[in-house]
Amino acid sequence: MDFELTEDQRAFADTAHQFAQTELAPHAAQWDAEAIFPRETIAKAGELGFCGLYAPECIGGLQLPRLDATLVFEELAAVDPSTTAFITIHNMATWMLGTWGTDEVRAEWGEALTSGQRLASYCLTEPGSGSDAASIKTRAELQGNEYVINGGKAFISGAGATDVLVLMARTGDGQSGAAGISAFAVPANLPGIHYGKKEEKMGWNSQPTRQISFDNVRIPANHLLGHEGEGFKIAMKGLDGGRINIATCSVGAAQGALGHAQRYMQERKQFGKPIASFQALQFKLADMATELVAARQMVRLAASRLDAGARDASTYCAMAKRFATDAGFNIVNEALQLHGGYGYIREYPLERLLRDARVHQILEGTNEIMRVIIGRRMLDGDAPDVIR
């Protein structure tokens, strides 16, 4: 068991750190305040390979292990969790298209996505289908050599500003459940696709979120990803990695917040001395650091399990997502508290980090659903000995 990073892994992390400081840090507050979606900056990230970190090499991806991808995402999220989170979603959708897409779909979209010149959204959630993802109602019916899509999606990151939608739709009858769901690559500008208003959100303001409606949208049959009925399996495989990604964004936000808090404690004086001299605040910093290291190691363990194709990888991904997003939010909140009133104003980045990190406990499966996944597995007879 080796906890040390390799030379290549450190190089990826260092490159991401430098990119975050030069390309994200100077603009993150403005993007948040003015709800700017920084496509040009995301394209620059694509030039470094950050838009196709674990996508297949056949479409121009780096095909890195998920563990290596977490190193990049953490460094970016320490500065700008919102923009980083969109980059992780784009990575997930790009990986799905590259892994299950037909040759025609890969040729059209693959390298454009891994380079960041085109962007992808992931479309699973519906207005009436959140945690119960198998109950989606959006339909795709095969008519000749085309699928005709009708229905709607909700809370779609990047909607209205991206170029292709990785869409989950029902191809089976209404009683088919998860087995009746298929996955598709849908060009985002087709006739019949309509985008709702941009949602006004607590955080994640550097990426648009909208509803999408589909009214007799026609796509070629070869835009099916995998085979009919495989969509739910594809979606869940995507979400295993997505849960690691969003957990990593929480670790990154917490790391950024911890750094700000440590520096502030040494600079801020009260009662004639730096507040870093007060033991009660030292203890608070100690607990934050301890929880952050624990969260980071939980995420990296889950990523390693997923890379290895372990039987219980999904359980570990759920554990990492639940633990890291809860811990990450708490660490950012404590960092804000250490800043006192200054933490609450926008001159400092703490309130932005806090707002961005909060949604991580909800998306990619709520933390309550993560507990359901973990709890069901822990009721199996071998679980206490296997899940360790």
mmCIF file of all heavy atoms in Angstrom, residues 74 78 247-259 284-300 323-324 327-332:
data_model
loop_
_atom_site.group_PDB
_atom_site.id
_atom_site.type_symbol
_atom_site.label_atom_id
_atom_site.label_comp_id
_atom_site.label_asym_id
_atom_site.label_seq_id
_atom_site.Cartn_x
_atom_site.Cartn_y
_atom_site.Cartn_z
ATOM 1 N N GLU A 74 -9.026 18.332 -7.874
ATOM 2 C CA GLU A 74 -8.863 18.933 -6.555
ATOM 3 C C GLU A 74 -8.149 20.274 -6.645
ATOM 4 O O GLU A 74 -8.548 21.251 -5.990
ATOM 5 C CB GLU A 74 -8.089 18.000 -5.623
ATOM 6 C CG GLU A 74 -7.901 18.595 -4.234
ATOM 7 C CD GLU A 74 -7.092 17.728 -3.286
ATOM 8 O OE1 GLU A 74 -7.085 16.493 -3.444
ATOM 9 O OE2 GLU A 74 -6.469 18.309 -2.370
ATOM 10 N N ALA A 78 -9.967 23.943 -5.650
ATOM 11 C CA ALA A 78 -9.493 24.738 -4.522
ATOM 12 C C ALA A 78 -9.650 26.223 -4.790
ATOM 13 O O ALA A 78 -9.724 27.028 -3.861
ATOM 14 C CB ALA A 78 -8.024 24.411 -4.232
ATOM 15 N N ALA A 247 -17.102 14.577 -5.093
ATOM 16 C CA ALA A 247 -16.438 14.481 -3.789
ATOM 17 C C ALA A 247 -15.088 15.186 -3.838
ATOM 18 O O ALA A 247 -14.698 15.883 -2.889
ATOM 19 C CB ALA A 247 -16.262 13.018 -3.395
ATOM 20 N N THR A 248 -14.382 15.018 -4.953
ATOM 21 C CA THR A 248 -13.090 15.681 -5.115
ATOM 22 C C THR A 248 -13.246 17.185 -5.143
ATOM 23 O O THR A 248 -12.414 17.928 -4.599
ATOM 24 C CB THR A 248 -12.415 15.206 -6.412
ATOM 25 O OG1 THR A 248 -12.263 13.782 -6.372
ATOM 26 C CG2 THR A 248 -11.047 15.838 -6.580
ATOM 27 N N CYS A 249 -14.313 17.685 -5.769
ATOM 28 C CA CYS A 249 -14.562 19.128 -5.778
ATOM 29 C C CYS A 249 -14.764 19.648 -4.357
ATOM 30 O O CYS A 249 -14.351 20.773 -4.027
ATOM 31 C CB CYS A 249 -15.770 19.451 -6.643
ATOM 32 S SG CYS A 249 -15.456 19.307 -8.422
ATOM 33 N N SER A 250 -15.388 18.851 -3.490
ATOM 34 C CA SER A 250 -15.551 19.253 -2.093
ATOM 35 C C SER A 250 -14.209 19.249 -1.362
ATOM 36 O O SER A 250 -13.935 20.139 -0.550
ATOM 37 C CB SER A 250 -16.531 18.320 -1.384
ATOM 38 O OG SER A 250 -17.860 18.595 -1.759
ATOM 39 N N VAL A 251 -13.394 18.254 -1.637
ATOM 40 C CA VAL A 251 -12.054 18.218 -1.040
ATOM 41 C C VAL A 251 -11.258 19.443 -1.477
ATOM 42 O O VAL A 251 -10.577 20.098 -0.673
ATOM 43 C CB VAL A 251 -11.324 16.920 -1.423
ATOM 44 C CG1 VAL A 251 -9.852 16.973 -1.015
ATOM 45 C CG2 VAL A 251 -12.001 15.717 -0.777
ATOM 46 N N GLY A 252 -11.346 19.770 -2.777
ATOM 47 C CA GLY A 252 -10.637 20.937 -3.268
ATOM 48 C C GLY A 252 -11.118 22.223 -2.616
ATOM 49 O O GLY A 252 -10.312 23.065 -2.194
ATOM 50 N N ALA A 253 -12.448 22.395 -2.537
ATOM 51 C CA ALA A 253 -12.992 23.597 -1.898
ATOM 52 C C ALA A 253 -12.525 23.696 -0.448
ATOM 53 O O ALA A 253 -12.174 24.784 0.036
ATOM 54 C CB ALA A 253 -14.516 23.575 -1.969
ATOM 55 N N ALA A 254 -12.515 22.560 0.245
ATOM 56 C CA ALA A 254 -12.069 22.545 1.639
ATOM 57 C C ALA A 254 -10.584 22.878 1.747
ATOM 58 O O ALA A 254 -10.160 23.598 2.664
ATOM 59 C CB ALA A 254 -12.355 21.186 2.268
ATOM 60 N N GLN A 255 -9.786 22.379 0.822
ATOM 61 C CA GLN A 255 -8.359 22.686 0.826
ATOM 62 C C GLN A 255 -8.125 24.183 0.623
ATOM 63 O O GLN A 255 -7.320 24.809 1.318
ATOM 64 C CB GLN A 255 -7.642 21.900 -0.270
ATOM 65 C CG GLN A 255 -6.138 22.162 -0.353
ATOM 66 C CD GLN A 255 -5.401 21.659 0.868
ATOM 67 O OE1 GLN A 255 -5.590 20.530 1.299
ATOM 68 N NE2 GLN A 255 -4.556 22.501 1.457
ATOM 69 N N GLY A 256 -8.850 24.756 -0.334
ATOM 70 C CA GLY A 256 -8.728 26.184 -0.546
ATOM 71 C C GLY A 256 -9.137 26.982 0.680
ATOM 72 O O GLY A 256 -8.461 27.941 1.077
ATOM 73 N N ALA A 257 -10.240 26.585 1.304
ATOM 74 C CA ALA A 257 -10.734 27.285 2.488
ATOM 75 C C ALA A 257 -9.763 27.152 3.661
ATOM 76 O O ALA A 257 -9.536 28.113 4.413
ATOM 77 C CB ALA A 257 -12.110 26.751 2.870
ATOM 78 N N LEU A 258 -9.190 25.966 3.831
ATOM 79 C CA LEU A 258 -8.230 25.745 4.919
ATOM 80 C C LEU A 258 -7.014 26.652 4.746
ATOM 81 O O LEU A 258 -6.525 27.250 5.717
ATOM 82 C CB LEU A 258 -7.801 24.283 4.942
ATOM 83 C CG LEU A 258 -6.785 23.900 6.030
ATOM 84 C CD1 LEU A 258 -7.426 23.983 7.408
ATOM 85 C CD2 LEU A 258 -6.237 22.489 5.783
ATOM 86 N N GLY A 259 -6.527 26.769 3.519
ATOM 87 C CA GLY A 259 -5.386 27.646 3.274
ATOM 88 C C GLY A 259 -5.694 29.087 3.608
ATOM 89 O O GLY A 259 -4.878 29.792 4.240
ATOM 90 N N LYS A 284 -9.578 24.154 16.354
ATOM 91 C CA LYS A 284 -10.517 24.169 15.229
ATOM 92 C C LYS A 284 -9.770 23.888 13.923
ATOM 93 O O LYS A 284 -10.202 23.078 13.104
ATOM 94 C CB LYS A 284 -11.238 25.509 15.163
ATOM 95 C CG LYS A 284 -12.383 25.567 14.174
ATOM 96 C CD LYS A 284 -13.020 26.942 14.137
ATOM 97 C CE LYS A 284 -13.772 27.245 15.417
ATOM 98 N NZ LYS A 284 -15.042 26.470 15.496
ATOM 99 N N LEU A 285 -8.622 24.516 13.740
ATOM 100 C CA LEU A 285 -7.818 24.298 12.542
ATOM 101 C C LEU A 285 -7.332 22.848 12.486
ATOM 102 O O LEU A 285 -7.292 22.240 11.402
ATOM 103 C CB LEU A 285 -6.632 25.255 12.531
ATOM 104 C CG LEU A 285 -5.939 25.487 11.190
ATOM 105 C CD1 LEU A 285 -6.850 26.251 10.232
ATOM 106 C CD2 LEU A 285 -4.628 26.258 11.387
ATOM 107 N N ALA A 286 -6.969 22.297 13.640
ATOM 108 C CA ALA A 286 -6.505 20.905 13.696
ATOM 109 C C ALA A 286 -7.603 19.940 13.255
ATOM 110 O O ALA A 286 -7.349 18.997 12.484
ATOM 111 C CB ALA A 286 -6.046 20.563 15.111
ATOM 112 N N ASP A 287 -8.818 20.165 13.725
ATOM 113 C CA ASP A 287 -9.934 19.295 13.340
ATOM 114 C C ASP A 287 -10.236 19.425 11.848
ATOM 115 O O ASP A 287 -10.522 18.424 11.170
ATOM 116 C CB ASP A 287 -11.176 19.635 14.154
ATOM 117 C CG ASP A 287 -11.083 19.168 15.595
ATOM 118 O OD1 ASP A 287 -10.238 18.299 15.879
ATOM 119 O OD2 ASP A 287 -11.851 19.666 16.433
ATOM 120 N N MET A 288 -10.177 20.639 11.327
ATOM 121 C CA MET A 288 -10.429 20.849 9.899
ATOM 122 C C MET A 288 -9.405 20.080 9.059
ATOM 123 O O MET A 288 -9.755 19.400 8.084
ATOM 124 C CB MET A 288 -10.358 22.339 9.566
ATOM 125 C CG MET A 288 -11.498 23.162 10.154
ATOM 126 S SD MET A 288 -11.106 24.941 10.228
ATOM 127 C CE MET A 288 -10.933 25.330 8.485
ATOM 128 N N ALA A 289 -8.137 20.185 9.440
ATOM 129 C CA ALA A 289 -7.079 19.508 8.683
ATOM 130 C C ALA A 289 -7.228 17.995 8.760
ATOM 131 O O ALA A 289 -7.042 17.286 7.766
ATOM 132 C CB ALA A 289 -5.714 19.941 9.212
ATOM 133 N N THR A 290 -7.574 17.495 9.937
ATOM 134 C CA THR A 290 -7.732 16.049 10.110
ATOM 135 C C THR A 290 -8.880 15.511 9.253
ATOM 136 O O THR A 290 -8.743 14.489 8.565
ATOM 137 C CB THR A 290 -7.986 15.723 11.591
ATOM 138 O OG1 THR A 290 -6.887 16.209 12.375
ATOM 139 C CG2 THR A 290 -8.131 14.221 11.804
ATOM 140 N N GLU A 291 -10.013 16.207 9.280
ATOM 141 C CA GLU A 291 -11.160 15.777 8.485
ATOM 142 C C GLU A 291 -10.877 15.883 6.989
ATOM 143 O O GLU A 291 -11.324 15.038 6.198
ATOM 144 C CB GLU A 291 -12.385 16.608 8.866
ATOM 145 C CG GLU A 291 -12.886 16.316 10.276
ATOM 146 C CD GLU A 291 -13.926 17.327 10.743
ATOM 147 O OE1 GLU A 291 -14.424 18.088 9.897
ATOM 148 O OE2 GLU A 291 -14.216 17.345 11.948
ATOM 149 N N LEU A 292 -10.098 16.889 6.601
ATOM 150 C CA LEU A 292 -9.769 17.045 5.187
ATOM 151 C C LEU A 292 -8.887 15.902 4.694
ATOM 152 O O LEU A 292 -9.135 15.339 3.621
ATOM 153 C CB LEU A 292 -9.064 18.385 4.964
ATOM 154 C CG LEU A 292 -8.565 18.661 3.541
ATOM 155 C CD1 LEU A 292 -9.688 18.538 2.522
ATOM 156 C CD2 LEU A 292 -7.916 20.038 3.465
ATOM 157 N N VAL A 293 -7.888 15.546 5.462
ATOM 158 C CA VAL A 293 -7.024 14.430 5.061
ATOM 159 C C VAL A 293 -7.829 13.139 4.998
ATOM 160 O O VAL A 293 -7.662 12.328 4.069
ATOM 161 C CB VAL A 293 -5.835 14.291 6.036
ATOM 162 C CG1 VAL A 293 -5.069 12.989 5.765
ATOM 163 C CG2 VAL A 293 -4.894 15.483 5.893
ATOM 164 N N ALA A 294 -8.724 12.932 5.961
ATOM 165 C CA ALA A 294 -9.555 11.721 5.949
ATOM 166 C C ALA A 294 -10.441 11.686 4.709
ATOM 167 O O ALA A 294 -10.596 10.639 4.058
ATOM 168 C CB ALA A 294 -10.410 11.660 7.210
ATOM 169 N N ALA A 295 -11.041 12.827 4.369
ATOM 170 C CA ALA A 295 -11.901 12.883 3.184
ATOM 171 C C ALA A 295 -11.100 12.615 1.917
ATOM 172 O O ALA A 295 -11.539 11.884 1.023
ATOM 173 C CB ALA A 295 -12.584 14.250 3.100
ATOM 174 N N ARG A 296 -9.923 13.225 1.817
ATOM 175 C CA ARG A 296 -9.086 13.023 0.625
ATOM 176 C C ARG A 296 -8.714 11.540 0.472
ATOM 177 O O ARG A 296 -8.778 10.994 -0.635
ATOM 178 C CB ARG A 296 -7.824 13.879 0.729
ATOM 179 C CG ARG A 296 -6.873 13.691 -0.455
ATOM 180 C CD ARG A 296 -5.643 14.565 -0.317
ATOM 181 N NE ARG A 296 -5.967 15.967 -0.455
ATOM 182 C CZ ARG A 296 -5.840 16.864 0.519
ATOM 183 N NH1 ARG A 296 -5.419 16.491 1.727
ATOM 184 N NH2 ARG A 296 -6.148 18.133 0.304
ATOM 185 N N GLN A 297 -8.335 10.903 1.556
ATOM 186 C CA GLN A 297 -7.945 9.488 1.465
ATOM 187 C C GLN A 297 -9.142 8.596 1.144
ATOM 188 O O GLN A 297 -9.005 7.605 0.420
ATOM 189 C CB GLN A 297 -7.275 9.046 2.772
ATOM 190 C CG GLN A 297 -5.965 9.755 3.066
ATOM 191 C CD GLN A 297 -4.981 9.692 1.913
ATOM 192 O OE1 GLN A 297 -4.845 8.666 1.248
ATOM 193 N NE2 GLN A 297 -4.289 10.797 1.652
ATOM 194 N N MET A 298 -10.323 8.950 1.642
ATOM 195 C CA MET A 298 -11.527 8.193 1.306
ATOM 196 C C MET A 298 -11.812 8.293 -0.190
ATOM 197 O O MET A 298 -12.161 7.301 -0.849
ATOM 198 C CB MET A 298 -12.705 8.741 2.115
ATOM 199 C CG MET A 298 -14.029 8.028 1.900
ATOM 200 S SD MET A 298 -14.138 6.430 2.726
ATOM 201 C CE MET A 298 -14.256 5.321 1.357
ATOM 202 N N VAL A 299 -11.667 9.494 -0.742
ATOM 203 C CA VAL A 299 -11.908 9.682 -2.172
ATOM 204 C C VAL A 299 -10.889 8.906 -2.991
ATOM 205 O O VAL A 299 -11.236 8.233 -3.981
ATOM 206 C CB VAL A 299 -11.869 11.189 -2.523
ATOM 207 C CG1 VAL A 299 -11.878 11.393 -4.033
ATOM 208 C CG2 VAL A 299 -13.050 11.911 -1.892
ATOM 209 N N ARG A 300 -9.649 8.975 -2.601
ATOM 210 C CA ARG A 300 -8.609 8.270 -3.369
ATOM 211 C C ARG A 300 -8.756 6.758 -3.254
ATOM 212 O O ARG A 300 -8.469 6.028 -4.213
ATOM 213 C CB ARG A 300 -7.222 8.731 -2.911
ATOM 214 C CG ARG A 300 -6.957 10.186 -3.294
ATOM 215 C CD ARG A 300 -5.562 10.658 -2.906
ATOM 216 N NE ARG A 300 -5.370 12.062 -3.303
ATOM 217 C CZ ARG A 300 -4.255 12.755 -3.082
ATOM 218 N NH1 ARG A 300 -3.234 12.175 -2.455
ATOM 219 N NH2 ARG A 300 -4.166 14.015 -3.473
ATOM 220 N N PHE A 323 -19.156 11.099 2.546
ATOM 221 C CA PHE A 323 -18.239 11.597 3.571
ATOM 222 C C PHE A 323 -17.564 12.894 3.141
ATOM 223 O O PHE A 323 -17.523 13.870 3.891
ATOM 224 C CB PHE A 323 -17.181 10.538 3.883
ATOM 225 C CG PHE A 323 -16.250 10.934 4.993
ATOM 226 C CD1 PHE A 323 -16.651 10.834 6.315
ATOM 227 C CD2 PHE A 323 -14.982 11.424 4.724
ATOM 228 C CE1 PHE A 323 -15.802 11.210 7.347
ATOM 229 C CE2 PHE A 323 -14.126 11.808 5.745
ATOM 230 C CZ PHE A 323 -14.539 11.697 7.063
ATOM 231 N N ALA A 324 -17.041 12.925 1.921
ATOM 232 C CA ALA A 324 -16.249 14.075 1.489
ATOM 233 C C ALA A 324 -17.100 15.325 1.287
ATOM 234 O O ALA A 324 -16.654 16.435 1.581
ATOM 235 C CB ALA A 324 -15.476 13.741 0.215
ATOM 236 N N ALA A 327 -18.039 16.492 4.876
ATOM 237 C CA ALA A 327 -16.853 17.029 5.544
ATOM 238 C C ALA A 327 -16.377 18.306 4.870
ATOM 239 O O ALA A 327 -16.011 19.283 5.534
ATOM 240 C CB ALA A 327 -15.736 15.983 5.552
ATOM 241 N N GLY A 328 -16.389 18.303 3.534
ATOM 242 C CA GLY A 328 -15.925 19.473 2.812
ATOM 243 C C GLY A 328 -16.733 20.711 3.139
ATOM 244 O O GLY A 328 -16.185 21.792 3.383
ATOM 245 N N PHE A 329 -18.053 20.567 3.142
ATOM 246 C CA PHE A 329 -18.903 21.715 3.477
ATOM 247 C C PHE A 329 -18.633 22.191 4.892
ATOM 248 O O PHE A 329 -18.532 23.405 5.147
ATOM 249 C CB PHE A 329 -20.378 21.350 3.317
ATOM 250 C CG PHE A 329 -21.303 22.484 3.665
ATOM 251 C CD1 PHE A 329 -21.537 23.510 2.773
ATOM 252 C CD2 PHE A 329 -21.935 22.525 4.903
ATOM 253 C CE1 PHE A 329 -22.382 24.570 3.101
ATOM 254 C CE2 PHE A 329 -22.774 23.580 5.238
ATOM 255 C CZ PHE A 329 -22.994 24.608 4.325
ATOM 256 N N ASN A 330 -18.496 21.254 5.829
ATOM 257 C CA ASN A 330 -18.258 21.643 7.219
ATOM 258 C C ASN A 330 -16.929 22.379 7.382
ATOM 259 O O ASN A 330 -16.818 23.339 8.152
ATOM 260 C CB ASN A 330 -18.290 20.407 8.118
ATOM 261 C CG ASN A 330 -19.680 19.820 8.248
ATOM 262 O OD1 ASN A 330 -20.683 20.516 8.049
ATOM 263 N ND2 ASN A 330 -19.756 18.535 8.559
ATOM 264 N N ILE A 331 -15.910 21.931 6.642
ATOM 265 C CA ILE A 331 -14.597 22.580 6.732
ATOM 266 C C ILE A 331 -14.672 24.000 6.186
ATOM 267 O O ILE A 331 -14.141 24.940 6.782
ATOM 268 C CB ILE A 331 -13.549 21.742 5.976
ATOM 269 C CG1 ILE A 331 -13.304 20.418 6.711
ATOM 270 C CG2 ILE A 331 -12.238 22.516 5.824
ATOM 271 C CD1 ILE A 331 -12.572 19.375 5.874
ATOM 272 N N VAL A 332 -15.331 24.174 5.046
ATOM 273 C CA VAL A 332 -15.478 25.515 4.483
ATOM 274 C C VAL A 332 -16.266 26.406 5.445
ATOM 275 O O VAL A 332 -15.934 27.584 5.646
ATOM 276 C CB VAL A 332 -16.158 25.459 3.100
ATOM 277 C CG1 VAL A 332 -16.386 26.869 2.561
ATOM 278 C CG2 VAL A 332 -15.320 24.654 2.109
#
